[in-house]
Amino acid sequence: MENNMVFGIHPVEELIKAEKEIDKIYIQNGLRSQQISEIARYARAHNVVVQYVPIEKLNRLTRKNHQGIVAFTCPISYQLIEEVVPMVYDEGRMPFIVILDRVTDVRNFGAIARTCYASGVDAIVIPSRGSALINGDAMKTSAGALSRINVCRVENIKDTIDFLKSSGVKVVSISEKGSKNIWEGDFKVPVAIMMGSEEDGISEAYLKRSDEHFLIPMPGDIDSLNVSVATGVVCFEVVRQRL
């Protein structure tokens, strides 16, 4: 059992009473009770993802008596992007943000966090739905970076993009469909780098909201990189330019 997994109605209620950070709650399909309803209501009020799943999925997570509910806690405290950006400006620095659109592999996420921390990123933005759980594997792969870097979980990435742009932050998308290569970009300004999932890249709606769209030039006979590697390439191009 993962050390961030809690199962059973009473233990999940205790998590809520203790105001612990919760990443996701699985509830058995068709399960109805006042306690379950109250848990679901709390989750909706606090932007915690609730998924109704077959009992077989819960049984695969644990063989113990889960009572139809399993929750995953988060070992970090999420921050608000609306507070991080002004704080960076107040410190006399240019914000450097990384936005991850549906990166679901926990080891990729951990590796990205490690790179972001090493390259001076001020915050990683992830969606509340469709993102990797911050579990033991992610923490280990990050080599401790996830305990040190700001992670901002947002309900709507579109709104976050709009907020960043209104705050003077240039939002840049990176994918193989970019019109210019990253060496042509100006990253010596407040910037947010957006990376997409390996399955289908950055959502079209987010691409349209971006200020610029770049690609990583690859002379070799391959058209894409692992998202954690690609993020590293771009982050350290920002570092190179700013140094």
Side-chain angles (χ1 to χ4, degrees):
M1 183 185 75
E2 293 196 41
N3 58 12
N4 66 323
M5 187 172 74
V6 176
F7 53 85
I9 292 172
H10 183 65
V12 174
E13 286 179 326
E14 289 301 313
L15 277 183
I16 291 171
K17 290 176 183 176
E19 298 183 345
K20 297 290 187 182
E21 290 274 5
I22 301 175
D23 259 332
K24 181 181 292 187
I25 298 175
Y26 289 136
I27 297 176
Q28 180 183 327
N29 284 333
L31 192 63
R32 299 286 185 271
S33 75
Q34 182 178 346
Q35 291 166 299
I36 291 293
S37 296
E38 288 175 355
I39 290 170
R41 187 160 49 249
Y42 166 87
R44 286 192 295 270
H46 292 80
N47 294 326
V48 176
V49 176
V50 175
Q51 291 185 358
Y52 293 88
V53 300
I55 190 172
E56 290 80 11
K57 182 176 181 67
L58 301 179
N59 290 341
R60 286 195 297 271
L61 291 171
T62 178
R63 295 182 180 181
K64 296 183 180 180
N65 181 19
H66 50 68
Q67 298 178 300
I69 185 166
V70 173
F72 289 89
T73 61
C74 184
I76 68 168
S77 294
Y78 293 112
Q79 307 301 315
L80 296 175
I81 190 65
E82 294 84 0
E83 294 179 358
V84 172
V85 171
M87 178 189 70
V88 175
Y89 278 130
D90 287 346
E91 292 174 357
R93 298 186 292 108
M94 292 182 295
F96 181 11
I97 311 296
V98 168
I99 304 171
L100 301 181
D101 177 21
R102 296 165 297 131
V103 173
T104 57
D105 184 277
V106 294
R107 290 179 178 83
N108 274 340
F109 181 74
I112 288 170
R114 184 175 185 174
T115 293
C116 287
Y117 184 67
S119 57
V121 168
D122 295 298
I124 302 171
V125 175
I126 59 174
S128 58
R129 290 170 175 77
S131 184
L133 286 174
I134 301 179
N135 59 14
D137 283 340
M139 296 294 288
K140 182 177 180 180
T141 309
S142 80
L146 278 169
S147 299
R148 298 179 174 90
I149 195 167
N150 294 311
V151 180
C152 304
R153 186 172 64 175
V154 301
E155 183 68 19
N156 191 318
I157 285 183
K158 288 182 186 177
D159 292 344
T160 300
I161 292 172
D162 292 344
F163 163 75
L164 290 169
K165 292 172 71 171
S166 70
S167 301
V169 179
K170 180 168 70 173
V171 178
V172 173
S173 293
I174 308 294
S175 81
E176 70 278 6
K177 299 175 184 176
S179 56
K180 297 182 290 186
N181 76 60
I182 60 170
W183 321 133
E184 301 174 78
D186 178 11
F187 301 125
K188 298 187 293 293
V189 299
V191 68
I193 305 297
M194 182 155 49
M195 310 297 297
S197 70
E198 291 194 83
E199 288 72 26
D200 52 10
I202 299 171
S203 302
E204 191 65 30
Y206 305 157
L207 284 175
K208 290 178 180 177
R209 272 178 157 75
S210 301
D211 294 302
E212 294 185 273
H213 188 184
F214 293 103
L215 56 80
I216 297 172
M218 287 179 281
D221 188 20
I222 193 168
D223 60 2
S224 65
L225 295 172
N226 172 281
V227 65
S228 67
V229 174
T231 304
V233 171
V234 182
C235 282
F236 281 96
E237 172 59 14
V238 176
V239 171
R240 185 191 71 81
Q241 290 193 19
R242 291 186 173 188
L243 289 178

